[in-house]
């Protein structure tokens, strides 16, 4: 658990509007999103004294990027937890600020997998001698999507979940995406569209999988007194926690994620309950990822995620809980395997009242951003972040 309560505010947020950037390098995208977040906050690069990045940062990570961005930080962090890295970074930045390590922290993400022709989740993993687990798994040619398909099948077996219920996740988020001018898939998608799309890894169809985009995003976290003098709505970092889940020496559980560990700690730290949350950004690499998180975060009982989605529970304005009102990784933006950044950005928009009017949650004063990084079929991380409009 991170020590964050009341110690810091998100004062800048920026999502790159492009979804295809063949003429940019990854460092250039980092620079563009950093400048966008600085403009949003009303700050200059000289104000930044903390810098956070993850495995998408090229070269020597923070060392290379700090020089490229011409920053002079006194604190850097390159924690890499895959797709949940940037959700965790916000809490870590708040902790660093509370400890006096820095005053204004910049967090950046950039990627161009679409331009590079990468198909995130479906490619066979390659051997990496630094990862001790892979030597035993590579002979079976595992792909990321296969691990999520196993989890989906197990959930179906244990709880009667159906492919129709999974498809409702995509359909719900596509209703939101039609209001996002930057979404890669802006057209509404029906349940039948999902079920009729090609099978990728049974029971997951192509439209059960996230989009693959170029782009990125950036966030700026600052001390309370700095936030107070900026002309921006105040979004307080209320709580943050992260966790790791693995195969537990063979006692494998495919129907829960590490969010079942991180979420209770975050809620306890914030002093709120799942029912208090007005908006949730949930990591949506695949439709099953959303169902599992709904249950692990306490928004519904275990095994009821499918019914929650099929009843329209995810749709802003009509459902029980507005989720991924930008269209999420399934429809809007997923730059590489690190879509957690966009989860925080849309939560900030909702708390500021800056989401599209068609999906803006009324009186949105408490939001949750949740990331998953890795493979829920083997080993992964999760990060839970709770934000408050002050």
């Amino acid at each position: 658990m991170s020590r964050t309560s009341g110690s810091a505010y998100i004062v800048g947020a920026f999502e790159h509007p492009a979804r295809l950037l063949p003429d940019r390098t990854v460092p250039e995208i980092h620079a563009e999103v950093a400048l966008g977040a600085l403009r949003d906050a009303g700050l200059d690069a000289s104000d930044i004294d903390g810098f956070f990045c993850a495995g998408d940062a090229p070269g020597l990570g923070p060392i290379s990027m700090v020089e490229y961005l011409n920053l002079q930080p006194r604190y850097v962090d390159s924690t890499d937890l895959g797709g949940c890295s940037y959700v965790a970074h916000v809490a870590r930045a708040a902790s660093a600020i509370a400890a006096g390590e820095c005053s204004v922290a910049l967090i950046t993400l950039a990627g161009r997998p679409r331009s590079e022709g990468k198909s995130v989740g479906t490619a066979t993993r390659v051997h990496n001698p630094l990862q001790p687990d892979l030597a035993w798994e590579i002979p079976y040619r595992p792909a990321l999507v296969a691990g999520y398909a196993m989890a989906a099948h197990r959930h179906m077996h244990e709880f009667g979940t159906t492919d129709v219920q999974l498809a409702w996740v995509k359909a719900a988020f596509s209703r939101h995406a039609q209001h996002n001018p930057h979404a890669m898939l802006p057209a509404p998608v029906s349940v039948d569209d999902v079920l009729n799309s090609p099978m990728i890894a049974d029971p997951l169809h192509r439209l059960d999988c996230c989009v693959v985009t170029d782009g990125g995003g950036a966030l700026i976290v600052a001390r309370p007194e700095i936030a107070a003098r900026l002309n921006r709505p105040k979004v307080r970092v209320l709580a943050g926690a992260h966790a790791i889940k693995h195969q537990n020496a063979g006692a494998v559980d495919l129907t829960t994620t590490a969010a079942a560990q991180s979420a209770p700690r975050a809620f306890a730290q914030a002093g709120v309950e799942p029912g208090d949350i007005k908006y949730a950004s949930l990591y949506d690499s695949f439709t099953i990822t959303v169902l599992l998180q709904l249950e692990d975060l306490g928004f519904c009982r275990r095994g009821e995620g499918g019914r929650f989605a099929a009843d329209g529970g995810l749709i802003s304005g009509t459902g029980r809980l507005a989720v991924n009102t930008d269209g999420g990784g399934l429809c809007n933006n997923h730059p590489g395997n690190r879509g957690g950044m966009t989860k925080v950005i849309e939560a900030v928009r909702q708390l500021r009242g800056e989401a599209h009017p068609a999906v803006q949650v009324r009186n949105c004063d408490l939001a949750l951003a949740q990331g998953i990084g890795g493979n829920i079929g083997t080993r992964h991380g999760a990060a839970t972040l709770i934000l408050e409009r002050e």
Side-chain angles (χ1 to χ4, degrees), residues 178-264:
Q178 67 181 315
H179 304 294
N180 183 349
H182 304 301
M184 182 167 174
L185 298 181
V189 172
S190 70
V191 168
D192 285 341
D193 290 334
V194 179
L195 299 179
N196 291 329
S197 65
M199 188 69 74
I200 301 299
D202 189 17
L204 300 179
H205 298 78
R206 183 168 65 194
L207 291 181
D208 283 298
C209 307
C210 68
V211 297
V212 178
T213 63
D214 297 345
L219 295 159
I220 297 177
V221 185
R223 293 175 59 181
E225 55 268 36
I226 294 173
R229 68 171 186 254
L230 297 174
N231 188 29
R232 301 299 289 132
K234 296 181 69 176
V235 175
R236 184 159 66 119
V237 181
L238 198 59
H242 61 267
I244 302 294
K245 183 173 180 289
H246 48 71
Q247 297 181 90
N248 195 26
V252 180
D253 173 14
L254 292 172
T255 59
T256 62
T257 71
Q261 303 170 47
S262 62

Side-chain angles (χ1 to χ4, degrees), residues 28 30 97 132 237 240 291 316 378:
E28 285 177 311
H30 274 278
I97 288 169
V237 181
L291 295 193
S316 181
T378 54

Side-chain angles (χ1 to χ4, degrees), residues 10-16 33-42 106-107 216-221 232 235 341-342 344-349 352 354:
I10 296 178
V11 299
F14 180 78
E15 180 182 6
H16 203 293
V33 296
L35 290 172
L38 286 167
R39 284 192 297 267
D40 180 66
L106 169 67
I107 308 167
L219 295 159
I220 297 177
V221 185
R232 301 299 289 132
V235 175
M341 169 67 77
T342 60
V344 183
I345 292 172
E346 183 67 4
V348 170
R349 291 192 193 109
R352 287 177 170 181
E354 296 174 352

